[in-house]
Amino acid sequence: MTRCPPRPSSLRGGPFVPHTLDADAVRTWCGLALDALGRARADIDAINVYPVADGDTGTNLYLTVESAARAVDAAFDGHATSAAVSRPTLADVVRAMAHGALIGARGNSGTILAQLLRGMADVLADGTPDGGPGEDEADGLRRALRRAVDLAYLAVAHPVEGTVLTVAVAAAESAERATGDVATVARAAYEGARTALQATPGQLDVLARAGVVDAGGYGLVTVLGGLAQALSGEAPAALAPARPGRDALAPAGTTGGRDLAGCSTDGAPDGGPAFEVIYLLEADDTAVTALRQRLDALGDSLVVVGGDGLWNVHVHVDDAGAAVEAGIQAGRPYRIRISHFDGAAVRKAGADGPDRPGPAIVLPDQSGAQPPTGGPRAERAPRAVVAVVPGDGLAALCAEAGATAVATCPGEPPASGELVDAVRRAHAREVVLLPNDTELHHTAAAAAAQARAEGVRVAVIPTRSAVQGIAALAVHEPGRSFDEDVVAMTSAAGATRYAELAVAERQSWTMAGVCQAGDVLGMIDGDVAVIGSELAATAETVLDRMLASGGEMVTLVLGADLPDEVAERLERHVREGHFAVDSVVYRGGQPTAPLIIGIE
């Protein structure tokens, strides 16, 4: 069953109840921040010129927060399935958030963000219990932001002003000056960070030359906006353009308004380090102190974050082997990723993939695992389709059509890493990705960016339902050009209207009026349009409404428990009431929606 209407998620920007600074607020914050970064990801990538102009800061921040959000969801799920059926505390959730960000941190800015979240968790986990006085919560947030800044500066070997660090300092200082409840403090932190972001081009010449603000700082402001919204229930003021007054920003002796494509360096001298090296490291504090010194002598952009025996190491070097060797001497490095800034990327087996373009090869696993052996890999197929589907029946249908299916479970949407793994399994030079869910569009975009970094050409078709994916797959033709195939598939998906039948779990307001628990809801294009008491009759009403505006083909996808008799009744209804309209039935096996309808 599903809630009535579909969960009024903060991710859709709808109204929701403001939170105190508790476990639920942190979960909401992670969801809002992830959604906002998904929308801003491409813009942040486009303005990424420091410390390396490699256009992946937005993607790296998205993947870092995605890992944090999944860890928070896991904390809630773990308590929900425990014998006591308890709820996690604020301490449980912030520690999970910090750990998730640490193990999922990507790139320079993602690694620093992970340390900022760890600093906040240090204070919030030891602060006032859930439900404490509002003023105590406000003071806890002030102290958490200050601790975050202090830890982040300790993690960066050579801090640079005009970066995400500067924006973080402004957020902490603004929070300290603010008076009022925790929501007021969060809004002040956001506004202070937003103001500081606009000033970054005046602090870092490379930003001024490119006419952009700092990409990492832009990402941090986006994350803080999610916190402010989670605590106040109100969306924060929109960010100013990422390219403010470009001519006005150009310092003396430079040319303003220059395109990013013309920005040949990242602010470092030409001939800077050739490789980015990232790995997780199990080591004690003493060994990490020595590691910092050794890596600092090897390269630059050194950031080492973490603690309690687990660290995330990030450095830019010319000798990637020496950087990995230093980690081996300090402890046990794993999830090793090495990226060449000219485009050749190297990936450790089992990692989520490199952050930059280039072919991937396997590095030996220092934990003792060996890379796979055997004959040469099979030649890549010219093209493949990867489709996310909500049931085993649909997964089998996609497999029969030659697609790689990613079957989802209720309440467990796939992460971008899972979609990247599916792209890898497809083993093709070109891949069409069908998310088949509006809420997976940002995740699919991030996965596509990762796959492109591994040399795969990927196009995401923004399908919103499994029936749109079926329509797209039906016209897929590997023999034509990639662009023509994508256009045809996109057109077929866009020409398919969709509906879903669900059962209300509780009384609620909907677009069609008030529903009661147990009512059958007919949702057309995502909105509740029909409320009924019996599934087949409600489905007939939905079909009549949709076919009133025309249609040639009706697709019925049956849920796991829907009897075949219902499908037969609906097919008969279409045949008798709508001449020249064909119908097709699939046993989808989806566990949540009893029936999905498509009209082409």
Side-chain angles (χ1 to χ4, degrees), residues 1-8 502-506 508 510 515 521 523 528:
M1 293 193 299
T2 187
R3 290 182 175 90
C4 167
R7 182 171 57 183
V503 180
E505 290 185 349
R506 63 169 68 94
S508 183
T510 76
C515 70
L521 310 178
M523 294 177 287
V528 177

Side-chain angles (χ1 to χ4, degrees), residues 61-117:
L61 287 168
Y62 180 90
L63 295 171
T64 302
V65 173
E66 181 186 52
S67 182
R70 287 179 66 83
V72 169
D73 285 341
F76 274 86
D77 292 343
H79 278 262
T81 57
S82 68
V85 193
S86 60
R87 293 185 63 78
T89 65
L90 174 62
D92 293 330
V93 173
V94 294
R95 287 178 180 137
M97 173 185 68
H99 181 74
L102 174 67
I103 64 175
R106 298 298 187 89
N108 194 71
S109 294
T111 307
I112 293 173
L113 177 61
Q115 189 75 338
L116 290 168
L117 295 179

Side-chain angles (χ1 to χ4, degrees), residues 277-297:
V277 179
I278 305 174
Y279 49 80
L280 291 178
L281 176 71
E282 293 179 357
D284 59 36
D285 291 2
T286 303
V288 170
T289 299
L291 174 67
R292 290 180 194 270
Q293 296 175 349
R294 183 169 181 185
L295 292 179
D296 193 26

Side-chain angles (χ1 to χ4, degrees), residues 540 565-578 583:
E540 288 175 346
E565 291 77 10
V566 173
E568 293 169 0
R569 172 177 168 177
L570 296 178
E571 282 193 290
R572 185 166 57 252
H573 179 80
V574 171
R575 186 169 57 251
E576 295 175 353
H578 302 276
S583 61

Side-chain angles (χ1 to χ4, degrees), residues 157-348:
H158 301 285
V160 175
E161 295 307 311
T163 64
V164 62
L165 293 173
T166 307
V167 175
V169 169
E173 292 178 344
S174 296
E176 289 168 342
R177 291 192 297 268
T179 59
D181 62 13
V182 68
T184 302
V185 172
R187 284 196 299 271
Y190 170 78
E191 293 295 342
R194 191 168 67 122
T195 300
L197 175 66
Q198 297 305 310
T200 55
Q203 298 168 302
L204 202 55
D205 285 348
V206 65
L207 301 179
R209 290 197 298 271
V212 299
V213 297
D214 179 66
Y218 194 107
L220 177 59
V221 174
T222 303
V223 171
L224 290 173
L227 175 62
Q229 186 174 357
L231 293 173
S232 69
E234 299 176 358
L239 282 174
R243 300 169 182 254
R246 303 177 67 181
D247 291 334
L249 293 174
T254 67
T255 300
R258 184 174 165 200
D259 289 336
L260 289 184
C263 186
S264 60
T265 74
D266 61 357
D270 287 336
F275 295 96
E276 178 187 58
V277 179
I278 305 174
Y279 49 80
L280 291 178
L281 176 71
E282 293 179 357
D284 59 36
D285 291 2
T286 303
V288 170
T289 299
L291 174 67
R292 290 180 194 270
Q293 296 175 349
R294 183 169 181 185
L295 292 179
D296 193 26
L298 285 174
D300 60 27
S301 295
L302 174 61
V303 185
V304 181
V305 304
D308 301 322
L310 180 62
W311 309 82
N312 192 307
V313 179
H314 171 281
V315 66
H316 296 171
V317 293
D318 280 321
D319 190 343
V324 175
E325 181 183 353
I328 295 171
Q329 293 181 355
R332 187 180 76 89
Y334 60 103
R335 291 194 186 179
I336 302 166
R337 294 192 300 274
I338 302 173
S339 303
H340 197 302
F341 288 127
D342 73 1
V346 183
R347 178 177 62 86
K348 176 193 171 295

